[in-house]
Amino acid sequence: MAAELQPLEAAAAPAPRKRKPKHKKSKNPSKRVKQKASPMATAKPRQPSKKMKKLFRKRAREYHSDEEDDGDVEREEEPSSGDEEDFDVRDDGSGGSECDDEEDERGAQHGITRFVGGCRAFRVAFMKIMKKHLPDDPLGPILSAHKKLVAEKLAEDDAEHKKKGETKKEKQLAAENGHIKPANFLDAKEKFLIGVATKGVVKLFNAVSKAQNAQIGLNPSKSKDTKVLAKRRKQAFFSELQKTNTQVSNSRKEEKSNVTGWAPLRDSYMLTSSKLKDWDKMAEPAAVVGQEHESSESSDE
Amino acid sequence: MARFKNKNKKALARPVKNQPSVDHITGQKIPKSFVFSRGKLPGPLRDLELDLRKLMLPHTALKLKEKKRNKLKDFLNVAGPMGVTHFLMISNPKSVPHLRVARTPQGPTITFEIQEYALAADIARSQARPSCPKELFSNSPLIVLSGFGSGGQHLKLTTIMFQNIFPAIDINTVKLSSCRRIVLLNYNNETKLIDFRHYSIRLQPIGVSQRIRKFVQKHEVPDLRNLQDVSDFVTKAGYGSESEADEESATVSLVSDLGRVNRASTKSAVRLQEIGPRMTLRLVKIEEGLCSGAVIFSEFGKEADDAHEEEDHED
C-alpha cells in the first residue's frame, strides 16, 4: 500500500516534472518497500506463528478441563498420543470419563490416560452386568458361568441342614415323651391325693399313739410283761385293723403272737423257714399248742 | 486312676456300709433295692432314675455305677451277696418309658408303663416354698396304698410287692420322728391308672396362733412396731390360713415330743408337702420270673406280649 502510494505520488508529482530517478526505482524496489514496511509493522499487530497457534490450542483445551466431554478427552488424547505410543488402549479409555476418580487426576495427563484406559473396560463390563436381568434366586445372583452347578450344590447343602434340624427336633421331642411340668397350684386331683395320704398318716399315727400309750408303763425286756404286752398289742392291732377302711391299708406287718420287744430274744430269730419254727415241740405232736401255752413255755425257758 | 483300673470290672456296685441286713426290731430281713436302667435313657429319664434312687434311700445304692455292657445277669450276681431283694428298672423301648419292679432272685416282675412323670426338680420349682432337707432320707418312707382293694389278683400282687419293697414298721416300737416320708400309690378304677406320689411329713402344733408358732419355729424376731404391749402380740386374733380348716380332721395326738414345738399328748396337725418324683403308671404285664417266665397278667393280649418279649431278649 505504501509502496503504491509512493509511485503515485512520485508519478503525480513529477508529472509536471520530468522522470529523473528511473534507475533509482528499478535498482532498489525492495529496499524502498522494506524501509517503508518496517515503520508500518510497528503500527499494526503481527500474525501468530504456527508454534504459537499450537500453544493457544492447548490452553483452550485446558480451559475446558472441568467439563465432562468426550470430545475434550479425545482432543486431549490425539495430540498426546502422538507423543507417546506405549499404551494400547485408546478408544476404550472413554469409560473413564464417567469415573469420578478421573476428574481428580486430570492434572497428570499421561497417568490419566492410562487409568482412563483401564476404567473404560471396567465400565463396559459393569454396564453389561447391570443390564442383565437376573432371576430372583433365594441364593442370590450368581455371576459365574457355572451357574447351575453352584446352584445345585447350595440347594443340596440347604436340604441337608433342614434334615439334620428336623431329626434333632424329633429326637428331642421323643426324649421328652411323658415328661410334664406340674402346675404351680394344687388342683383338685392333687388335693384329693394329699388328703388320702394325710388320712393314712393320721390313722397310722393314731394307732401308734394308742399302742404305745398302753405300754408306757411296761418295760419290753421284762418277761412278765410280755404276756400282757402281747395280748394288748394283738387286741389293739386287730381292733385298729377293723376300724380302718378297706381303702387304706398300711404296711404294718402282722406280728407274731409270742413276740418280745427285742428280736434276739425271740424264738424265731434268724429262723426263716417256718418248718423249724417249733422244732422243740415236734416230738409232741399231740400236745395242743395254744398261743398262751407257747408263750408261757417260752417264758419259762 | 479309675479310668484304667476299671477296665476289666463288670458290674460295679459299691458295697453298702453299716447297713444291717436284719431289722433288729422286727427280726425280718430289711429289703434292699437296686435302681438302674436298661438301655440308654434320654436326659429326663436319667433324672427320674436318680430321683427314684433317692426315694428308696437308705436301703439302696445311691451311687450305683452301671456300665453300658452290664447285663441283668451282672446285677443278679452282685445282688446275692449284698442282700438286695428288689430291682427297679427303667427302660425306654420305642420312646415310651417303662418301669419294672422285680423281686430277686426269681421273683415276679411287674411292668408298668409310665404315662406321665414329673421330676423332683420340677415339683420344687412349682412350689412356693420347697423344702427337702437331707434328714428326710435317713429313714425309709411309709407306704400308703389306696384303691387297690377292688381289683383282681394282679392288683393284689402289686400291693404285696410294694409293701415288701419298704421295710416293715412295728407300731409298738416305731419312733414317730423316724417317719418323715410317705409314698402314696392310688389306684383309679375307672382309668386303671396308678398315681405315684412322694410326700414329706411335717407336724405342726395347732391351738397356737400362727404368729407365735412361726416365731418359735423360725426364731425370727417379730415386728412389734405397731403394738403397744407384748400381750397384744400374744393374744391378737390372727386370721387362720384356709388350709387350717382342713387340718381339723388331720390332727393327731402325739405320744412323744417331736422337736420343740410338738409336745406329747397335745394335738398336732399333719401337713404333707410333695417332694420327689410324680408318676402316673399303668400296669402292663406281670411275669413269673425275673423279666422272663410265664406271663401271669397282661394288659393287651398275646400279640403285644410277644412284641414285648422280643424287646426283653434284645436287652
Side-chain angles (χ1 to χ4, degrees), chain A residues 175-180 184 189-190 193-194 197 201 204-205 209 211-212 215 233 247 252-253 255 263 266, chain B residues 24-26 42 44 95 116-117 122 126 145-146 164 168 170-172 174 182 184 186 195 197 199 252 255:
Chain A
E176 297 285 327
N177 183 23
H179 185 207
I180 50 164
N184 274 349
K189 190 178 179 204
E190 298 298 320
L193 289 174
I194 283 190
V201 173
L204 174 71
F205 277 25
S209 67
Q212 289 188 351
Q215 31 162 316
R233 257 183 247 147
Q247 275 205 338
R252 284 166 280 171
K253 288 280 172 146
E255 299 164 21
R266 295 182 209 157
Chain B
H24 65 99
I25 300 290
T26 59
S95 301
E116 295 173 340
Y117 62 95
D122 298 334
S126 76
L145 300 149
S146 99
N164 288 342
D170 179 16
I171 58 168
N172 297 298
V174 68
I182 178 169
L184 167 73
N186 178 45
D195 293 312
R197 301 283 186 273
Y199 301 104
V252 195
V255 180

Side-chain angles (χ1 to χ4, degrees), chain B residues 57-59 133-140 177-178 180-181:
Chain B
L57 277 178
H59 300 293
K134 288 215 166 162
E135 301 84 47
L136 288 181
F137 297 101
S138 58
N139 297 100
S140 314
S177 59
S178 64
R180 304 289 303 274
R181 293 183 289 143

Side-chain angles (χ1 to χ4, degrees), chain B residues 99-160:
Chain B
L99 172 69
R100 260 178 253 223
V101 182
R103 194 190 150 76
T104 60
Q106 299 124 10
T109 310
I110 305 181
T111 309
F112 296 102
E113 182 192 317
I114 303 176
Q115 300 232 300
E116 295 173 340
Y117 62 95
L119 301 172
D122 298 334
I123 289 171
R125 230 177 286 148
S126 76
Q127 285 176 344
R129 284 193 211 94
S131 78
C132 191
K134 288 215 166 162
E135 301 84 47
L136 288 181
F137 297 101
S138 58
N139 297 100
S140 314
L142 310 171
I143 179 158
V144 172
L145 300 149
S146 99
F148 283 94
S150 51
Q153 194 66 27
H154 52 276
L155 292 177
K156 282 205 182 118
L157 197 64
T158 317
T159 56
I160 293 172

Side-chain angles (χ1 to χ4, degrees), chain A residues 251-269:
Chain A
S251 70
R252 284 166 280 171
K253 288 280 172 146
E254 283 197 24
E255 299 164 21
K256 298 185 182 164
S257 48
N258 54 342
V259 59
T260 52
W262 192 41
L265 287 178
R266 295 182 209 157
D267 281 345
S268 55
Y269 184 63

